[in-house]
Amino acid sequence: YSELNPDMVQMDDIDSATETGTKHILEAAERSIPKTSGKFPKQWRPWIWLEEYFPVTWRKAVVIPIPKPGKDPQIPTSYRPIALTSCLCKLMERMVNARLVHVLEENGFLSNFQSGFRYGRGTIDNVLMLETAIRDAFVTKKHLVSVFFDMDKAYDRTWRYGILKDMYNMGFRGKLPIFIKNFLMTRTFQVRIGDILSQNFQQYEGVPQGSVLSVILFIIKLNGIINHLPQYVHSSLYVDDLQIYCASVNMSFIERQLQTAVRNITCWANKNGFIISNQNTSCVHFCKIRGIHPHPEIFLKDTPIPVVSEAKFLGIIFDDKLTFKPHIVNLKQKCVKTLNLLKILSNTSWGADFQSLLKIYKSLILSKLDYGCMIYGSASKSVLQILDPVHHLGLRLASGAFRTSHVHSLYVICGVPCLQFRRQTLSLEYYFRIKGDSEHPMYDRVLHPLFGTFFSNKKSYTPSFGHRMRFLIQDLDMENVVILAKEEETPPWTERNIAVIDDFCKQIKSLTPDSVYLQLFYSHRQQFSTYEAV
């Protein structure tokens, strides 16, 4: 794994896509290379890799500032920079990125608690980790204190030499570190507002914005921050969103452990060029123990970290009692604003048709309701019912039904179940996805949840996700469902021979009814009935 040899950078997977038009795009892009670029061979991809050549134009970017909603346009930090880079460079980055990520995953170089931009992982993994720890702390009469860190301009402050040093410590040698070095050095950019371009500015530090490789390089650099935590402090990381927590019956023990962790994280950040924001870093004390309990005193650079009653972590608002009511109320407010767009588009004289309105509702509103529903679905029924009017109004606007129409008829007409069934379905899908991946960090905590006796004896406490799914699976009689284990990924540099159904190609789509395609599909399934369906 230490060196990606020329056999691993053959681009057969790209060149084989001739019929889809990819080759024509590449040829057009290669013809667009200026004559002044010098000698540029036809097989430019392996040539760039083997000759260690990186075109100067690939290091340039055009930055377009996009204003952030609700921010003062007179302040430069109120804009989100969108960087446009060379398409050929992005293509080369994607090829290297696929191979680099495969090697990192195969050899376990990345921390198991880093969920950012990894196959089969997502933000819900980190949110579930924190929610499970809080539920377990509640039922065992413990305090749990969590610190949510915020890094100022983490991408722009990433230490480039530190990335190369970490890759060297991982054992990477040969052409790959040289390519990464050429990719990072002498980056320039221009800011474009309308048709006006600014002068060229040089980016001395940080990873390039808008590049495919930047994310994995940033993750490599930030990967070591978790290794500096004490034994009783747990953490989760999604790219640069770092959260640590500690649970105990003794608040003094929690303060000592978290203070040591914050001190170690600050020292690591100072050595590696990162700056942790004092203003945006917060702390939440989760506790359901009766009585008055003092909040923890934790300092960041001699400044006390503010203890707040609620904090947003990866899009989910956690309150100190874990009722999720602030999150659900905030979610309803956002969805109601988006429903105004659906009201305009549902005009009876010139509005959109039923299918278009339903797709808009699913993409703009229902997607917000779905995100994190397996976590905030543990809230009480009275709190979850706050979202039902939003769902019903969206279905009425899409279907054109009257206000007096029964909600069950809306579910049938639109083919969309109620939110409760939808939350259960998505929770089951997430549960079985974890069950099929034995390397998932929450595999044991979900399939073999702790404190089952405590939750059984204390009905007033909401059980953790693993227990909730166990009860649901028992009710649905799905205990004997067999889940296929996660298959090992094929290395990107190997040739993939995928057999596809070519019976459909013999038919003309415009002249063939749907029933013919169904019969062909059923015939194919019957022919290969001994194969495993995935």
Side-chain angles (χ1 to χ4, degrees):
Y1 66 87
S2 61
E3 179 176 354
L4 301 184
N5 54 57
D7 294 335
M8 298 165 69
V9 294
Q10 291 179 358
M11 309 308 169
D12 296 335
D13 52 339
I14 298 297
D15 293 335
S16 62
T18 305
E19 296 181 359
T20 61
T22 306
K23 186 174 182 180
H24 300 292
I25 297 175
L26 292 177
E27 291 176 352
E30 290 172 354
R31 288 195 301 269
S32 66
I33 297 173
K35 301 291 184 180
T36 57
S37 298
K39 184 179 179 182
F40 208 89
K42 187 68 175 177
Q43 302 296 330
W44 55 273
R45 296 177 292 271
W47 177 76
I48 286 177
W49 183 268
L50 297 175
E51 297 295 329
E52 303 173 5
Y53 172 77
F54 202 89
V56 178
T57 55
W58 287 11
R59 298 193 181 103
K60 295 182 179 180
V62 177
V63 177
I64 301 177
I66 305 296
K68 298 179 181 179
K71 300 291 184 178
D72 186 3
Q74 302 296 328
I75 302 177
T77 56
S78 300
Y79 292 84
R80 192 179 306 278
I82 304 298
L84 305 179
T85 57
S86 170
C87 292
L88 285 178
C89 182
K90 286 185 177 180
L91 180 63
M92 187 70 183
E93 289 177 50
R94 192 171 296 277
M95 299 172 188
V96 176
N97 181 75
R99 289 148 176 80
L100 176 59
V101 170
H102 178 80
V103 173
L104 293 173
E105 296 286 1
E106 280 291 310
N107 294 275
F109 288 139
L110 299 181
S111 172
N112 204 25
F113 298 99
Q114 169 65 268
S115 302
F117 297 94
R118 299 177 67 178
Y119 178 76
R121 303 286 295 277
T123 56
I124 303 301
D125 299 333
N126 292 7
V127 176
L128 174 63
M129 193 180 307
L130 178 59
E131 192 253 356
T132 302
I134 296 172
R135 297 291 183 198
D136 292 346
F138 282 170
V139 78
T140 54
K141 300 293 184 178
K142 292 182 179 180
H143 302 273
L144 189 143
V145 179
S146 178
V147 180
F148 303 90
F149 292 93
D150 180 78
M151 296 186 181
D152 282 338
K153 300 179 180 179
Y155 260 53
D156 298 331
R157 290 193 169 102
T158 307
W159 188 23
R160 296 179 180 177
Y161 176 77
I163 295 175
L164 298 174
K165 180 182 178 182
D166 290 345
M167 293 182 65
Y168 183 87
N169 295 335
M170 291 177 180
F172 287 101
R173 305 290 188 273
K175 303 293 183 181
L176 178 63
I178 296 176
F179 178 85
I180 299 298
K181 177 185 176 182
N182 294 334
F183 168 76
L184 293 174
M185 66 181 296
T186 323
R187 305 290 305 197
T188 60
F189 66 92
Q190 292 177 287
V191 180
R192 189 180 77 185
I193 301 179
D195 297 332
I196 303 176
L197 279 173
S198 70
Q199 61 180 345
N200 284 307
F201 296 94
Q202 189 166 352
Q203 183 180 357
Y204 295 98
E205 283 300 335
V207 291
Q209 294 278 355
S211 298
V212 180
L213 267 174
S214 298
V215 176
I216 190 61
L217 296 180
F218 179 78
I219 289 176
I220 289 175
K221 184 62 234 161
L222 209 63
N223 188 58
I225 194 172
I226 299 181
N227 300 329
H228 297 77
L229 299 179
Q231 179 182 359
Y232 296 98
V233 176
H234 307 275
S235 67
S236 64
L237 187 64
Y238 188 88
V239 191
D240 62 336
D241 288 317
L242 175 63
Q243 174 268 143
I244 63 174
Y245 65 89
C246 181
S248 176
V249 295
N250 190 342
M251 181 58 71
S252 300
F253 175 80
I254 295 177
E255 288 183 354
R256 292 195 302 271
Q257 292 293 315
L258 289 180
Q259 187 61 63
T260 303
V262 171
R263 190 183 304 111
N264 294 345
I265 290 174
T266 305
C267 293
W268 182 93
N270 294 335
K271 292 179 180 178
N272 291 271
F274 293 104
I275 297 178
I276 298 177
S277 173
N278 290 12
Q279 298 177 348
N280 298 328
T281 299
S282 60
C283 172
V284 180
H285 176 202
F286 298 96
C287 176
K288 273 194 173 183
I289 305 175
R290 293 183 179 181
I292 300 175
H293 305 283
H295 288 312
E297 294 183 359
I298 306 171
F299 293 87
L300 175 64
K301 302 175 184 177
D302 299 330
T303 303
I305 299 177
V307 180
V308 296
S309 59
E310 59 187 48
K312 178 178 285 189
F313 178 56
L314 298 176
I316 304 294
I317 298 177
F318 284 81
D319 58 288
D320 53 3
K321 302 299 181 183
L322 210 62
T323 62
F324 289 113
K325 186 174 181 179
H327 173 75
I328 292 176
V329 171
N330 179 69
L331 180 59
K332 180 181 179 180
Q333 294 174 354
K334 293 193 298 183
C335 292
V336 168
K337 291 181 181 179
T338 313
L339 278 175
N340 295 330
L341 174 62
L342 206 63
K343 292 179 181 179
I344 298 174
L345 295 177
S346 61
N347 190 288
T348 56
S349 58
W350 54 267
D353 60 287
F354 167 66
Q355 293 296 334
S356 299
L357 290 174
L358 190 60
K359 289 179 180 178
I360 293 173
Y361 170 72
K362 289 180 178 180
S363 59
L364 297 183
I365 301 172
L366 194 57
S367 60
K368 295 179 181 178
L369 298 176
D370 288 344
Y371 176 75
C373 65
M374 57 284 296
I375 306 299
Y376 74 78
S378 60
S380 62
K381 292 183 179 179
S382 59
V383 174
L384 292 174
Q385 288 175 354
I386 297 175
L387 298 176
D388 289 340
V390 176
H391 185 51
H392 297 158
L393 180 57
L395 295 181
R396 293 185 195 277
L397 292 174
S399 61
F402 295 105
R403 292 185 178 180
T404 56
S405 300
H406 202 277
V407 293
H408 293 288
S409 62
L410 293 177
Y411 301 149
V412 176
I413 294 172
C414 299
V416 179
C418 65
L419 291 181
Q420 180 184 357
F421 289 161
R422 192 168 181 87
R423 286 191 290 265
Q424 291 178 353
T425 302
L426 294 176
S427 298
L428 285 172
E429 290 179 359
Y430 183 61
Y431 172 83
F432 286 121
R433 183 159 64 87
I434 295 177
K435 186 176 181 180
D437 184 7
S438 59
E439 297 180 357
H440 196 279
M442 291 298 294
Y443 180 83
D444 292 327
R445 298 295 299 274
V446 170
L447 267 66
H448 309 288
L450 304 175
F451 309 114
T453 306
F454 285 81
F455 285 113
S456 301
N457 297 332
K458 300 178 181 180
K459 300 296 183 180
S460 60
Y461 288 89
T462 303
S464 59
F465 179 77
H467 291 292
R468 300 197 300 266
M469 288 299 99
R470 183 164 54 87
F471 298 145
L472 180 59
I473 289 173
Q474 290 176 355
D475 293 340
L476 299 177
D477 194 16
M478 299 177 63
E479 297 171 314
N480 297 325
V481 175
V482 179
I483 303 298
L484 295 178
K486 180 182 177 182
E487 296 184 0
E488 295 184 1
E489 294 185 38
T490 306
W493 53 85
T494 59
E495 185 176 355
R496 303 179 184 181
N497 296 321
I498 302 176
V500 297
I501 304 175
D502 57 353
D503 298 341
F504 296 154
C505 301
K506 302 174 184 178
Q507 309 294 330
I508 301 176
K509 185 176 181 180
S510 58
L511 302 177
T512 306
D514 295 341
S515 58
V516 175
Y517 286 114
L518 286 174
Q519 292 297 329
L520 289 174
F521 177 74
Y522 292 146
S523 175
H524 183 274
R525 287 295 302 272
Q526 182 65 27
Q527 181 181 357
F528 298 96
S529 58
T530 57
Y531 284 69
E532 189 72 31
V534 294

